[in-house]
Amino acid sequence: MRLQTDPYRFSITAFMADQVTLVARQERLSPGAAVLRIQELSRDPAGRAHLLEIISEAARHETNPVESRKIAAVRSELAAWAPSATSDNGRPHA
């Protein structure tokens, strides 16, 4: 399945869908299981770092330049969001 992200214009829907697609591909999961895996990984810094590694691994294996740019955009957004996803006490920001 082709990724939906437009590297030049952010869309939360495409960003989330592409995370699911990439995790499903890399970890050989169904889309539903990939959503649960993303939720699990998003809980702590180590998990978020692993999620970034999953996306980076997908980028290393992608041979289509258009899809590579999409993966790079997803990774860039995820990297920007990951450090600020929780407050100092580990609870999500309100």
Side-chain angles (χ1 to χ4, degrees):
M1 173 178 262
R2 298 196 90 131
L3 299 175
Q4 300 175 28
T5 295
D6 177 346
Y8 306 105
R9 187 173 60 208
F10 180 76
S11 162
I12 189 69
T13 304
F15 173 68
M16 296 302 294
D18 288 348
Q19 282 185 76
V20 170
T21 298
L22 292 168
V23 169
R25 280 184 197 167
Q26 290 304 115
E27 300 215 334
R28 293 178 174 82
L29 300 170
S30 70
V35 168
L36 295 175
R37 181 73 172 132
I38 291 167
Q39 289 174 343
E40 173 189 337
L41 292 170
S42 297
R43 289 187 183 131
D44 60 52
R48 290 188 294 274
H50 185 70
L51 181 56
L52 279 170
E53 182 53 37
I54 291 169
I55 304 301
S56 296
E57 185 67 19
R60 285 190 285 275
H61 290 116
E62 184 57 60
T63 58
N64 180 319
V66 172
E67 293 294 291
S68 289
R69 284 191 295 276
K70 292 176 183 181
I71 294 171
V74 169
R75 190 189 182 293
S76 177
E77 282 297 326
L78 188 59
W81 288 36
S84 63
T86 60
S87 62
D88 292 340
N89 63 8
R91 288 182 292 182
H93 288 293

